[in-house]
Structures are given as C-alpha cells and as structure tokens.
Amino acid sequence: MNFDLLHPREQIVSIMKRIYVGEMTTLSGGNLSVLDDHGDLWITPAGVDKGRLTPGDVVCVRSDGTIEGPHRPSSEYPFHRAIYERRPDLRAVVHCHPPALVAYSISGETPDTRIIPQANRVCGPIRYAPYAVPGSEALGQNIADTFAQGVDIVMLENHGVASGGASLLEAYQRMETLDFCARTLINARGVGAYRTLSDAQLAQFTRRRYILPEFEVGYHTSEERQERQQIVEIVHRACDRHLMISTEGVVSARLGEDTFLITPTGADRRSLEIQDIVLVQEGQREQGKMPSRSVNLHREIYRMHPEIGSIITAQSPSAVAYAVTPATFDSRTIPESYILLRDVPCVSFDKLYGKPKEVAEAITERSPVLLIENDCVLTTGANVLKAFDRLEVLEYTARALLSVPVLGNFIAIDEGRIREIEKKFLDG
C-alpha cells in the first residue's frame, strides 16, 4: 500500500488507530495533523473518541483560517501551526502520550537512541521543550522554538512527545521508534547498566553490504505464493503483538537450495503486502526490489543449516533489554521456555555486520535463538510459524524475568528437572 496516496483524512485515521491500539495514547489524548500542498491543515478533532475516529471526524483548517468539519480542531492546534511556521520542511506532526515516554518527560531525561543503530538513524537528535499550559500560545512557541533547532522529535516537559516528518507515516515512525527505545531502556535498567554504540559502530549500519544483482522472475510457484502470504501475516501479527515496529523486523522463509523469500528494506512493516516480499535466488534479488539489509546473514544461516526453514530478526522490547545489557538471559523458567529456546547466547554487535558466518555458527541445536548485542533478537525454526513461536516465547519469557526482582529471587528449574525435560521432549 502506498500510504502517501491516501487522503489526509484517511492517513490521520490510519495512524491514530495504530497509536491507540499500540497503547500510545488514550481515548481523549493525542493529536495528529497533516499540512497539504495548498497550505490547508488537516487535524484531529477536540473531544472525540480517538479509538473510534472516522475520516468524517477530521477537521480541515484552510489556509485562510476557515474551519471545515463537524467538530472543533484539537485544542493543541496552536502548536501544530507554530511548528509548520518555523519548520516549512515538515508536513506532518504527531503528538501523543506513550507511558514510557511520559516517564521520560516527567523525569527530565531523553531516551538514548544509541542502543540500536536503526533507532538512532530514524529518530535523530532529541530536545526538550519547557512546560507551558496545554493548548496555550506559549506552549506552541516553546515547542516550535525547539523544533526550529533542527530536531524532528521534541520531548514536552511533564506532557508527552511531539514528532515531525515529511509525511505522517515518517512522523509516526519516529514516535514509535523512540517509544520502543524508551520501553527497552526502562526494561534494561531493571537488569543492569545498558550499553551504547560508538560512532564507528553506528556507521556500520549504513555501510552494510546488501545490494545484490537482479534477476527476472519467470514464474511464481504455488509454494512461493503461500510463503509470501505467511510472511506478510506474521509480520502484521508481530506488529500487533508489539514484537516488531514499523521500522524494525525481518522475516524470511526458505524455498529451496539457495532460494528464499525475505522482507524488503525501508518498508513500513504494518502495511506490507505479498508483492513487497523479495525473492532471493543464488545471491540475486528479484528485479526491482531491495531485500532487507540482513539478507546476507539470512543466506549464510540457510547455507550452513539445511534444517532451518525460517529466520526472524526483531526488536521486541523485553528481550532486547537483555541484548543491550550484560545481563544473562536464562530460559530455565518454565518447561515451555526451555523446550523452545534452550540456551540463548548473546553474539557481539560487530559480528552481525562484519562476520555473518560467525553469527550463523552460533546457531546450534542447543541454541536456535540468539541475542545480537545492541541490535536485535534472532529466532529460527523449521517454518515461519515455528520461528515466530520462538519469538513470542522469548519475549514473554523476558517479560517474566524482568518482573522477578519485584517478587524476590529467581529460582530456576534445577538440573535434574532439566534432564527430565530433555529426555522427554528433546532427546532423539
């Protein structure tokens, strides 16, 4: 789906639904706007249930100040207009109150995006705007002045966050990615001091070699079509389950020897369609499409492990908390966790970008799941559903582990019971 071709009313409804379902705002909170090429500002209404917003509810404030629509424009309209006046390059603004980001807004801190390279690239620098009464001209001035410093995300003191972009989707992706960082960092602080990436490490993201030669696909088999649909459905489910965000996450599925399907790079995950999935064959990419930056890693894993039929890399906030800290992830919590995850080692960040073979070698029968330092989690399986099952179990196990310190000491399944589990479910 080409999001930019949607009418501003439809764009606003689509993104507000993601924000509300994603628990980034409440029924009455948050507001979105789009400034079109005619200078008309489309904005969410005041006093309308954000969980049931319709295109007909969206208000248009014409360039001459005329208001069209059944409702009043959002009470925060002044700061939206002020931002556009100070930053003519921005065409959309998102303001909402994700709990993790609100925690930062009332603590005087900003989330550190240097924990994940993609997050750092998407969000850019972040600044604080001083407090003023909501809906006031003073608040609009404070926020606009901060955006005028050249940043695209502004923390609002004791209020929430505002993000801007060349499109509403871009503004939303910045907000969603920063919220992922905030949730991950809050989780990480519960288990240890978090690591950040150096400038040299961050630069590896843009230098990653993933451009493959093209080939023309002659025919799409029934198996391939089925796998395309499966990948799209799993990516959408992962987004709905907070296991991926719109800018992060890769799914691939093996079709044959040195042939597999993989999600594209730079695409909005929640709106992926089957035609977006990229066929990779013998080191070549389907004509006119660009596969994920991790395509060479996936290819190396398939080459080395013929038993693996699917690979998922994702940034789920509880599990990634263990990837950005020195804390050890222990799967000996409940039998299901140990059966599906076994041992979960953490692989160094530099291997991901420079030594994919060593990452592939870290995957074994005892370690079908990896944590990649300051980047992602990686799960494998005989098919897409089994790889996704491991991703869900990994994230749910991590959530449980993060809650244990509140209750007391971690009591793992002892070695005798582990051997019983292995004998019944894993041996042979």
Side-chain angles (χ1 to χ4, degrees), residues 359-377:
V359 177
E361 288 174 342
I363 298 169
T364 65
E365 185 179 355
R366 288 199 62 88
S367 299
V369 174
L370 304 177
L371 300 176
I372 309 294
E373 182 181 286
N374 285 89
D375 195 279
C376 64
V377 298

PDB file of all heavy atoms in Angstrom, residues 359-377:
ATOM      1  N   VAL A 359      28.067 -15.530  13.098  1.00  0.00           N
ATOM      2  CA  VAL A 359      26.718 -15.488  13.666  1.00  0.00           C
ATOM      3  C   VAL A 359      25.989 -16.796  13.341  1.00  0.00           C
ATOM      4  O   VAL A 359      25.353 -17.408  14.198  1.00  0.00           O
ATOM      5  CB  VAL A 359      25.922 -14.285  13.126  1.00  0.00           C
ATOM      6  CG1 VAL A 359      24.498 -14.301  13.684  1.00  0.00           C
ATOM      7  CG2 VAL A 359      26.613 -12.974  13.479  1.00  0.00           C
ATOM      8  N   ALA A 360      26.100 -17.226  12.098  1.00  0.00           N
ATOM      9  CA  ALA A 360      25.462 -18.476  11.679  1.00  0.00           C
ATOM     10  C   ALA A 360      26.005 -19.659  12.462  1.00  0.00           C
ATOM     11  O   ALA A 360      25.260 -20.595  12.808  1.00  0.00           O
ATOM     12  CB  ALA A 360      25.667 -18.686  10.182  1.00  0.00           C
ATOM     13  N   GLU A 361      27.293 -19.661  12.765  1.00  0.00           N
ATOM     14  CA  GLU A 361      27.907 -20.758  13.525  1.00  0.00           C
ATOM     15  C   GLU A 361      27.416 -20.793  14.967  1.00  0.00           C
ATOM     16  O   GLU A 361      27.442 -21.855  15.602  1.00  0.00           O
ATOM     17  CB  GLU A 361      29.426 -20.612  13.491  1.00  0.00           C
ATOM     18  CG  GLU A 361      30.037 -20.936  12.135  1.00  0.00           C
ATOM     19  CD  GLU A 361      31.525 -20.635  12.079  1.00  0.00           C
ATOM     20  OE1 GLU A 361      32.021 -19.872  12.934  1.00  0.00           O
ATOM     21  OE2 GLU A 361      32.197 -21.165  11.164  1.00  0.00           O
ATOM     22  N   ALA A 362      26.966 -19.659  15.482  1.00  0.00           N
ATOM     23  CA  ALA A 362      26.482 -19.612  16.865  1.00  0.00           C
ATOM     24  C   ALA A 362      25.140 -20.323  17.019  1.00  0.00           C
ATOM     25  O   ALA A 362      24.727 -20.680  18.126  1.00  0.00           O
ATOM     26  CB  ALA A 362      26.367 -18.166  17.333  1.00  0.00           C
ATOM     27  N   ILE A 363      24.441 -20.534  15.902  1.00  0.00           N
ATOM     28  CA  ILE A 363      23.162 -21.249  15.931  1.00  0.00           C
ATOM     29  C   ILE A 363      23.444 -22.749  15.938  1.00  0.00           C
ATOM     30  O   ILE A 363      24.138 -23.267  15.068  1.00  0.00           O
ATOM     31  CB  ILE A 363      22.305 -20.879  14.717  1.00  0.00           C
ATOM     32  CG1 ILE A 363      21.975 -19.385  14.735  1.00  0.00           C
ATOM     33  CG2 ILE A 363      21.016 -21.705  14.689  1.00  0.00           C
ATOM     34  CD1 ILE A 363      21.368 -18.892  13.455  1.00  0.00           C
ATOM     35  N   THR A 364      22.905 -23.422  16.929  1.00  0.00           N
ATOM     36  CA  THR A 364      23.086 -24.871  17.047  1.00  0.00           C
ATOM     37  C   THR A 364      21.765 -25.492  17.489  1.00  0.00           C
ATOM     38  O   THR A 364      20.786 -24.781  17.752  1.00  0.00           O
ATOM     39  CB  THR A 364      24.169 -25.212  18.087  1.00  0.00           C
ATOM     40  OG1 THR A 364      23.709 -24.796  19.391  1.00  0.00           O
ATOM     41  CG2 THR A 364      25.502 -24.524  17.774  1.00  0.00           C
ATOM     42  N   GLU A 365      21.747 -26.792  17.608  1.00  0.00           N
ATOM     43  CA  GLU A 365      20.558 -27.470  18.096  1.00  0.00           C
ATOM     44  C   GLU A 365      20.215 -27.004  19.506  1.00  0.00           C
ATOM     45  O   GLU A 365      19.049 -26.883  19.872  1.00  0.00           O
ATOM     46  CB  GLU A 365      20.768 -28.990  18.083  1.00  0.00           C
ATOM     47  CG  GLU A 365      19.534 -29.780  18.470  1.00  0.00           C
ATOM     48  CD  GLU A 365      19.766 -31.285  18.419  1.00  0.00           C
ATOM     49  OE1 GLU A 365      20.862 -31.710  18.001  1.00  0.00           O
ATOM     50  OE2 GLU A 365      18.843 -32.028  18.803  1.00  0.00           O
ATOM     51  N   ARG A 366      21.253 -26.715  20.294  1.00  0.00           N
ATOM     52  CA  ARG A 366      21.035 -26.236  21.658  1.00  0.00           C
ATOM     53  C   ARG A 366      20.792 -24.735  21.715  1.00  0.00           C
ATOM     54  O   ARG A 366      20.401 -24.213  22.762  1.00  0.00           O
ATOM     55  CB  ARG A 366      22.241 -26.584  22.539  1.00  0.00           C
ATOM     56  CG  ARG A 366      22.367 -28.063  22.878  1.00  0.00           C
ATOM     57  CD  ARG A 366      23.268 -28.240  24.090  1.00  0.00           C
ATOM     58  NE  ARG A 366      22.722 -27.604  25.275  1.00  0.00           N
ATOM     59  CZ  ARG A 366      21.873 -28.204  26.112  1.00  0.00           C
ATOM     60  NH1 ARG A 366      21.457 -29.443  25.885  1.00  0.00           N
ATOM     61  NH2 ARG A 366      21.426 -27.561  27.174  1.00  0.00           N
ATOM     62  N   SER A 367      21.042 -24.025  20.622  1.00  0.00           N
ATOM     63  CA  SER A 367      20.869 -22.562  20.612  1.00  0.00           C
ATOM     64  C   SER A 367      20.176 -22.131  19.317  1.00  0.00           C
ATOM     65  O   SER A 367      20.806 -21.561  18.421  1.00  0.00           O
ATOM     66  CB  SER A 367      22.228 -21.865  20.756  1.00  0.00           C
ATOM     67  OG  SER A 367      22.843 -22.200  21.973  1.00  0.00           O
ATOM     68  N   PRO A 368      18.863 -22.376  19.199  1.00  0.00           N
ATOM     69  CA  PRO A 368      18.142 -21.966  17.995  1.00  0.00           C
ATOM     70  C   PRO A 368      17.762 -20.493  17.998  1.00  0.00           C
ATOM     71  O   PRO A 368      17.204 -19.991  17.029  1.00  0.00           O
ATOM     72  CB  PRO A 368      16.892 -22.850  18.026  1.00  0.00           C
ATOM     73  CG  PRO A 368      16.640 -23.067  19.491  1.00  0.00           C
ATOM     74  CD  PRO A 368      17.999 -23.133  20.133  1.00  0.00           C
ATOM     75  N   VAL A 369      18.060 -19.820  19.108  1.00  0.00           N
ATOM     76  CA  VAL A 369      17.715 -18.407  19.287  1.00  0.00           C
ATOM     77  C   VAL A 369      18.960 -17.652  19.742  1.00  0.00           C
ATOM     78  O   VAL A 369      19.719 -18.147  20.577  1.00  0.00           O
ATOM     79  CB  VAL A 369      16.592 -18.255  20.350  1.00  0.00           C
ATOM     80  CG1 VAL A 369      16.321 -16.781  20.640  1.00  0.00           C
ATOM     81  CG2 VAL A 369      15.326 -18.958  19.887  1.00  0.00           C
ATOM     82  N   LEU A 370      19.160 -16.464  19.183  1.00  0.00           N
ATOM     83  CA  LEU A 370      20.311 -15.642  19.553  1.00  0.00           C
ATOM     84  C   LEU A 370      19.857 -14.250  19.966  1.00  0.00           C
ATOM     85  O   LEU A 370      18.864 -13.730  19.452  1.00  0.00           O
ATOM     86  CB  LEU A 370      21.287 -15.490  18.379  1.00  0.00           C
ATOM     87  CG  LEU A 370      21.859 -16.735  17.713  1.00  0.00           C
ATOM     88  CD1 LEU A 370      22.744 -16.320  16.544  1.00  0.00           C
ATOM     89  CD2 LEU A 370      22.640 -17.585  18.712  1.00  0.00           C
ATOM     90  N   LEU A 371      20.612 -13.664  20.878  1.00  0.00           N
ATOM     91  CA  LEU A 371      20.535 -12.232  21.117  1.00  0.00           C
ATOM     92  C   LEU A 371      21.711 -11.606  20.378  1.00  0.00           C
ATOM     93  O   LEU A 371      22.833 -12.090  20.487  1.00  0.00           O
ATOM     94  CB  LEU A 371      20.640 -11.913  22.606  1.00  0.00           C
ATOM     95  CG  LEU A 371      19.572 -12.507  23.531  1.00  0.00           C
ATOM     96  CD1 LEU A 371      19.899 -12.167  24.980  1.00  0.00           C
ATOM     97  CD2 LEU A 371      18.200 -11.974  23.171  1.00  0.00           C
ATOM     98  N   ILE A 372      21.466 -10.553  19.618  1.00  0.00           N
ATOM     99  CA  ILE A 372      22.534  -9.836  18.928  1.00  0.00           C
ATOM    100  C   ILE A 372      22.761  -8.537  19.679  1.00  0.00           C
ATOM    101  O   ILE A 372      21.859  -7.695  19.768  1.00  0.00           O
ATOM    102  CB  ILE A 372      22.187  -9.542  17.458  1.00  0.00           C
ATOM    103  CG1 ILE A 372      21.717 -10.819  16.748  1.00  0.00           C
ATOM    104  CG2 ILE A 372      23.390  -8.918  16.757  1.00  0.00           C
ATOM    105  CD1 ILE A 372      22.763 -11.882  16.584  1.00  0.00           C
ATOM    106  N   GLU A 373      23.947  -8.394  20.220  1.00  0.00           N
ATOM    107  CA  GLU A 373      24.275  -7.246  21.064  1.00  0.00           C
ATOM    108  C   GLU A 373      23.889  -5.921  20.394  1.00  0.00           C
ATOM    109  O   GLU A 373      24.275  -5.636  19.264  1.00  0.00           O
ATOM    110  CB  GLU A 373      25.778  -7.292  21.352  1.00  0.00           C
ATOM    111  CG  GLU A 373      26.306  -6.211  22.249  1.00  0.00           C
ATOM    112  CD  GLU A 373      27.814  -6.365  22.429  1.00  0.00           C
ATOM    113  OE1 GLU A 373      28.226  -7.290  23.154  1.00  0.00           O
ATOM    114  OE2 GLU A 373      28.555  -5.581  21.811  1.00  0.00           O
ATOM    115  N   ASN A 374      23.097  -5.129  21.102  1.00  0.00           N
ATOM    116  CA  ASN A 374      22.695  -3.783  20.654  1.00  0.00           C
ATOM    117  C   ASN A 374      22.094  -3.757  19.255  1.00  0.00           C
ATOM    118  O   ASN A 374      22.299  -2.807  18.499  1.00  0.00           O
ATOM    119  CB  ASN A 374      23.871  -2.815  20.727  1.00  0.00           C
ATOM    120  CG  ASN A 374      24.181  -2.390  22.157  1.00  0.00           C
ATOM    121  OD1 ASN A 374      24.965  -3.048  22.835  1.00  0.00           O
ATOM    122  ND2 ASN A 374      23.548  -1.320  22.606  1.00  0.00           N
ATOM    123  N   ASP A 375      21.321  -4.796  18.924  1.00  0.00           N
ATOM    124  CA  ASP A 375      20.664  -4.761  17.621  1.00  0.00           C
ATOM    125  C   ASP A 375      19.314  -5.470  17.631  1.00  0.00           C
ATOM    126  O   ASP A 375      18.302  -4.850  17.353  1.00  0.00           O
ATOM    127  CB  ASP A 375      21.556  -5.366  16.539  1.00  0.00           C
ATOM    128  CG  ASP A 375      21.076  -5.018  15.150  1.00  0.00           C
ATOM    129  OD1 ASP A 375      20.146  -5.676  14.649  1.00  0.00           O
ATOM    130  OD2 ASP A 375      21.624  -4.069  14.551  1.00  0.00           O
ATOM    131  N   CYS A 376      19.278  -6.767  17.905  1.00  0.00           N
ATOM    132  CA  CYS A 376      18.021  -7.496  17.698  1.00  0.00           C
ATOM    133  C   CYS A 376      18.051  -8.831  18.417  1.00  0.00           C
ATOM    134  O   CYS A 376      19.044  -9.208  19.047  1.00  0.00           O
ATOM    135  CB  CYS A 376      17.799  -7.731  16.195  1.00  0.00           C
ATOM    136  SG  CYS A 376      19.057  -8.796  15.422  1.00  0.00           S
ATOM    137  N   VAL A 377      16.950  -9.550  18.288  1.00  0.00           N
ATOM    138  CA  VAL A 377      16.899 -10.963  18.645  1.00  0.00           C
ATOM    139  C   VAL A 377      16.711 -11.732  17.343  1.00  0.00           C
ATOM    140  O   VAL A 377      16.131 -11.218  16.385  1.00  0.00           O
ATOM    141  CB  VAL A 377      15.758 -11.270  19.633  1.00  0.00           C
ATOM    142  CG1 VAL A 377      15.965 -10.512  20.933  1.00  0.00           C
ATOM    143  CG2 VAL A 377      14.391 -10.945  19.042  1.00  0.00           C
TER     144      VAL A 377
END
